[in-house]
């Protein structure tokens, strides 16, 4: 341990010891420093009255003060042993070197590199790209599931009867798209030439009004069917019922839908692009597939034999056995109906409104289905079911149409729906058809104008 010498500070004493121990290895500056400390120890130095350099930390003699504050002797020796060579230009007036205190370097903590921030535009592009990729994946999944369900109906007729697409020379309309919807009474095992249509509707979608429009044609409306109506060379006879055109067309190489299209164009000047022909079982399967909990309907009936009713017994065709058709009781009021019940409700015509009541209920059912299927998720989750329905339905509607127009149609349905029945209640004259049955004779020019105003042109 270093001694404390008289006339020397503790730090100077330490320095003197160090220099004396290493006297054989001293450079010129260190030798001068040793001589200075020895002279000071011997009292041979003259102390100036004022410090030579203001602002420096000197001893009274003007030599540098070596602070050892807070350091142990061992640490001072360690610093001295590793002291770097000093700048010779930095010295005291006596020519002794200044010893600069070495600045302590603080260890800087390692800061993790941050990813560069994306600009707002790049963020938006990245989000849009993510949505696009998600949409493509969902679309691919929808297409796969649709064709899976569609092919199932074609390969397994034991569970689903594959429908045949008929010839249909569809024509585009001026505003939106017109679709002919035919409900047939074809039963399982029955040939289509034996079937009749008791529901004839044209649905207009994608129009400029952004609404779904439905017009229903009463099947007993009397029309002229070339080749089947009576001809005398002078007059045009309206002696065939509208639904007879379907039967004649089905017997002519299964062109029932095309025959109805021609008849509507001839008498009402309506152009129709697509058709969909739905039989009893297909309708029930479609409703139960898309609406497992049923379709909400506020069931209404007219009077029966002039008496108001709380319920009616309707024919239950889907449960017919050996030619015997049982009845199903349907209560008046709001309720959820499955596919079978909804079919029986839409076909009933034994109240005092007759066919007019049936047409009204058919419009009510179709409107309820379109409005309650407005959840677009059904187009994704129900793709396989839609494929089965399309496979069982005779139609020329392409699947691309469902993808491109499906969601917009549901949006239009939520905006409102317009209905028209041709003819309207009581707006006809009773006439007989060619077979002696009672039909409805109407003014075609009046309804052509009505349909044009509604947008069916």
């Amino acid at each position: 341990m270093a001694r404390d010498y008289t006339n020397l500070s503790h730090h100077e004493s330490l320095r003197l010891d160090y220099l004396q121990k290493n006297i054989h290895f001293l450079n010129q500056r260190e030798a001068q420093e040793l001589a200075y400390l020895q002279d000071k120890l011997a009292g041979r130095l003259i102390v100036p009255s004022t410090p030579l350099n203001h602002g420096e930390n000197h001893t009274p003699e003007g030599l540098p003060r070596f602070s050892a504050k807070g350091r142990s002797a061992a640490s001072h020796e360690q610093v001295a042993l590793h002291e770097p060579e000093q700048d010779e230009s930095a010295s005291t007036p006596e020519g002794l070197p200044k010893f600069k205190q070495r600045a302590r370097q603080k260890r800087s903590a390692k800061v993790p590199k941050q990813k560069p921030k994306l600009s707002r535009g790049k963020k938006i592009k990245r989000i849009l790209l993510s949505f696009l990729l998600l949409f493509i994946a969902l679309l691919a999944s929808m297409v796969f599931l649709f064709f899976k369900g569609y092919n199932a109906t074609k390969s397994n007729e034991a569970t689903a009867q594959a429908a045949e697409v008929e010839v249909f020379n569809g024509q585009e309309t001026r505003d939106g798209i017109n679709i002919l919807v035919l409900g047939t009474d074809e039963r399982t095992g029955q040939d289509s030439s034996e079937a009749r249509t008791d529901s004839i509707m044209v649905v207009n979608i994608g129009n400029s009004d952004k609404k779904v429009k439905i017009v229903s044609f009463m099947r007993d409306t009397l029309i002229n069917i070339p080749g089947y109506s009576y001809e005398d060379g002078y007059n045009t006879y309206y002696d065939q019922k509208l639904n007879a055109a379907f039967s004649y067309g089905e017997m002519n190489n299964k062109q029932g839908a095309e025959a109805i299209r021609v008849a509507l164009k001839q008498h009402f000047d309506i152009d129709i692009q697509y058709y969909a022909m739905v039989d009893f079982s297909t309708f029930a399967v479609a409703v139960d597939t898309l609406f497992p909990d049923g379709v909400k309907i506020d069931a209404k009936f007219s009077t029966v034999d002039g008496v108001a009713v709380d319920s009616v017994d309707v024919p239950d065709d889907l449960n017919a056995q050996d030619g015997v058709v049982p009845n199903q009781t349907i209560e008046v009021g709001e309720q959820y109906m499955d596919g079978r019940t909804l079919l029986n409700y839409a076909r009933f015509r034994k109240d005092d409104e007759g066919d007019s009541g049936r047409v009204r209920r058919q419009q009510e059912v179709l409107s309820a289905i379109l409005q309650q299927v407005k959840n677009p998720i059904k187009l994704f989750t129900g793709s396989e079911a839609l494929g089965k329905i399309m496979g069982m339905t005779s139609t020329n509607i392409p699947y691309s149409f469902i993808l491109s127009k499906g969601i917009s149609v549901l949006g239009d349905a939520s905006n409102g729906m317009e209905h028209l029945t041709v003819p309207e209640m009581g707006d006809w004259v009773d006439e007989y058809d060619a077979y002696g049955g009672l039909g409805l004779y109407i003014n075609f020019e009046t309804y052509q104008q009505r349909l044009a105003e509604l947008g069916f042109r």
Side-chain angles (χ1 to χ4, degrees):
M1 182 174 179
R3 296 178 298 171
D4 287 332
Y5 297 98
T6 307
N7 299 332
L8 297 182
S9 67
H10 179 69
H11 178 71
E12 289 171 333
S13 299
L14 293 173
R15 187 65 176 165
L16 178 60
D17 282 344
Y18 169 77
L19 293 174
Q20 288 176 343
K21 290 178 182 178
N22 296 278
I23 192 170
H24 299 292
F25 306 100
L26 302 181
N27 58 29
Q28 184 180 356
R29 295 296 180 191
E30 290 173 333
Q32 292 175 352
E33 183 184 1
L34 175 61
Y36 163 78
L37 294 174
Q38 289 174 340
D39 288 343
K40 185 178 180 181
L41 178 63
R44 293 193 289 268
L45 290 179
I46 299 175
V47 180
S49 59
T50 58
L52 298 177
N53 285 315
H54 296 285
E56 297 287 346
N57 188 14
H58 290 93
T59 62
E61 295 80 10
L63 297 177
R65 186 184 303 276
F66 298 92
S67 173
K69 185 177 181 180
R71 294 186 181 178
S72 67
S75 66
H76 280 291
E77 290 182 10
Q78 195 173 25
V79 170
L81 287 171
H82 295 87
E83 191 72 15
E85 191 172 330
Q86 302 298 314
D87 184 359
E88 297 195 9
S89 63
S91 62
T92 65
E94 293 78 17
L96 296 177
K98 286 183 180 179
F99 292 91
K100 299 179 180 179
Q101 289 185 340
R102 183 183 298 170
R104 295 183 179 180
Q105 296 181 348
K106 296 182 178 179
R107 294 182 181 179
S108 59
K110 292 185 178 180
V111 180
K113 293 183 178 179
Q114 295 182 351
K115 295 182 179 179
K117 293 184 178 180
L118 296 176
S119 64
R120 181 179 178 85
K122 289 184 178 180
K123 285 183 179 179
I124 294 175
K125 287 182 180 180
R126 181 169 292 185
I127 292 173
L128 291 177
L129 179 60
S130 300
F131 276 113
L132 178 61
L133 293 176
L134 178 61
F135 177 77
I136 292 174
L138 290 174
L139 190 63
S141 176
M142 286 175 60
V143 172
F144 172 77
L145 292 174
F146 175 85
F147 282 106
K148 179 182 178 182
Y150 183 83
N151 291 328
T153 63
K154 301 298 182 183
S155 60
N156 189 2
E157 295 188 10
T159 57
Q161 185 174 357
E164 180 180 353
V165 179
E166 297 189 350
V167 174
F168 194 81
N169 301 314
Q171 302 294 320
E172 294 184 2
T173 189
R174 301 175 193 174
D175 186 14
I177 298 172
N178 287 340
I179 302 174
L180 175 64
V181 179
L182 300 174
T184 72
D185 62 358
E186 182 178 351
R187 277 81 169 177
T188 302
Q190 186 181 31
D191 188 83
S192 64
S193 61
E194 304 174 56
R196 299 169 298 174
T197 176
D198 56 14
S199 176
I200 303 171
M201 288 188 269
V202 176
V203 181
N204 179 263
I205 60 175
N207 52 65
S208 57
D209 293 334
K210 302 298 182 183
K211 295 181 179 181
V212 174
K213 302 176 182 180
I214 303 173
V215 57
S216 299
F217 296 91
M218 294 182 66
R219 66 176 190 169
D220 290 340
T221 301
L222 294 175
I223 62 171
N224 177 274
I225 303 178
Y228 294 94
S229 290
Y230 177 76
E231 301 286 346
D232 63 3
Y234 298 99
N235 299 306
T236 299
Y237 288 89
Y238 298 93
D239 57 358
Q240 295 286 341
K241 294 181 179 180
L242 180 58
N243 69 337
F246 175 81
S247 299
Y248 295 145
E250 284 298 297
M251 290 186 290
N252 182 23
N253 296 322
K254 296 185 178 181
Q255 298 186 58
E258 172 66 6
I260 293 292
R261 184 196 70 80
V262 171
L264 293 179
K265 176 62 178 178
Q266 176 184 348
H267 295 85
F268 299 100
D269 194 23
I270 294 182
D271 288 315
I272 301 173
Q273 186 171 358
Y274 299 119
Y275 86 96
M277 190 163 59
V278 184
D279 60 28
F280 286 175
S281 60
T282 300
F283 177 85
V285 169
V287 171
D288 292 338
T289 300
L290 294 177
F291 301 94
D293 298 324
V295 176
K296 187 176 182 180
I297 287 287
D298 186 8
K300 296 178 181 179
F301 299 96
S302 178
T303 57
V304 176
D305 297 328
V307 179
V309 294
D310 295 327
S311 64
V312 295
D313 291 332
V314 301
D316 189 6
D317 288 276
L318 288 180
N319 285 329
Q321 292 183 349
D322 301 325
V324 177
V325 180
N327 286 331
Q328 178 188 13
T329 301
I330 297 180
E331 303 287 338
V332 173
E334 196 171 273
Q335 58 193 282
Y336 284 89
M337 295 185 180
D338 60 10
R340 176 180 66 91
T341 305
L342 203 62
L343 172 69
N344 296 337
Y345 174 73
R347 297 193 68 245
F348 180 71
R349 64 187 183 104
K350 297 297 184 181
D351 59 6
D352 291 338
E353 285 184 317
D355 274 335
S356 293
R358 171 155 66 180
V359 169
R360 176 183 59 78
R361 281 185 285 274
Q362 290 172 354
Q363 291 179 345
E364 178 188 358
V365 166
L366 182 58
S367 297
I369 290 174
L370 290 176
Q371 290 178 329
Q372 293 176 44
V373 78
K374 60 186 176 183
N375 183 359
I377 294 177
K378 287 186 179 293
L379 293 178
F380 296 97
T381 59
S383 291
E384 185 173 358
L386 287 172
K388 291 180 180 179
I389 294 169
M390 290 286 285
M392 297 168 63
T393 302
S394 177
T395 181
N396 66 334
I397 300 176
Y399 186 58
S400 59
F401 175 86
I402 298 177
L403 292 178
S404 61
K405 302 292 185 181
I407 294 179
S408 63
V409 170
L410 300 182
D412 290 350
S414 63
N415 292 335
M417 307 186 71
E418 296 183 7
H419 305 86
L420 176 65
T421 300
V422 179
E424 294 180 311
M425 185 66 177
D427 191 21
W428 66 77
V429 176
D430 290 332
E431 292 285 353
Y432 291 98
D433 65 9
Y435 304 100
L438 201 59
L440 312 175
Y441 179 76
I442 67 174
N443 186 324
F444 293 104
E445 292 183 358
T446 298
Y447 283 101
Q448 287 177 10
Q449 182 63 32
R450 291 284 306 278
L451 291 169
E453 292 172 354
L454 193 58
F456 285 89
R457 296 297 290 273

